[in-house]
Amino acid sequence: MRIKSAVVTAAALVLALAGCGSSGDSEDPGPSRPAPKVVAMGPFVGECGHVTDDEVRALGGLGRISGVFRNAVGCNWQSAGIGSASITFASYRGSPIERERAWVTVNGRAPDPIKVGGREGFAALDPSGQICDLAVQLGDDFFEWSTNIGNFSTGTGNPCDRSRALAELTLQRMQ
């Protein structure tokens, strides 16, 4: 008895839903999405921006590196200890740099327009002077170096200078 009841209920539901469909007479298809933008592949920035661990240590002022993490789009280098310095490289294909600019703004870092190797970008230093995100536009792509000098940094200076030095090296080595 339960099976018959379930079959009858399902059939009634199908008929009811079919009655809610459109008759096909409507000529207004409703809102449509714009066609996706097809972008050309930008220049290859290489694994970790074509920068070695030793260069990150020297230019980024990390001292001893205790951890290096790599994946398909970026790399991260960590100094030893909690609250210590770190540097991150990330490459973004077909992604608008404006999205990253908005992200750093929301996170309290005012982006300043810059040019590195003749290419447009921005550098965003946090109010404490500890973290700098530096992004460089490459056509429809961009890459970013982010330097965090850490809570217990013994180094001095602006972390944006460190990110800029790494970005310049990446641009020199691009294919």
Side-chain angles (χ1 to χ4, degrees), residues 41-52:
M41 292 286 278
F44 179 59
V45 295
E47 181 182 74
C48 300
H50 286 303
V51 178
T52 68

Side-chain angles (χ1 to χ4, degrees), residues 12-43:
L13 184 59
V14 167
L15 289 173
L17 290 175
C20 293
S22 108
S23 65
D25 294 341
S26 174
E27 290 190 25
D28 180 17
S32 64
R33 294 185 193 182
K37 180 181 177 185
V38 177
V39 296
M41 292 286 278

Side-chain angles (χ1 to χ4, degrees), residues 81 107 132:
N107 284 284
C132 178

Side-chain angles (χ1 to χ4, degrees), residues 14 28 36 67 74 81 103 107 112-113 130 134 142 153 158 164 170 172:
V14 167
D28 180 17
W103 186 87
N107 284 284
D112 291 321
Q130 283 187 291
L134 188 140
F142 74 95
S153 175
N158 183 333
R164 179 184 271 286
T170 296
Q172 289 170 13

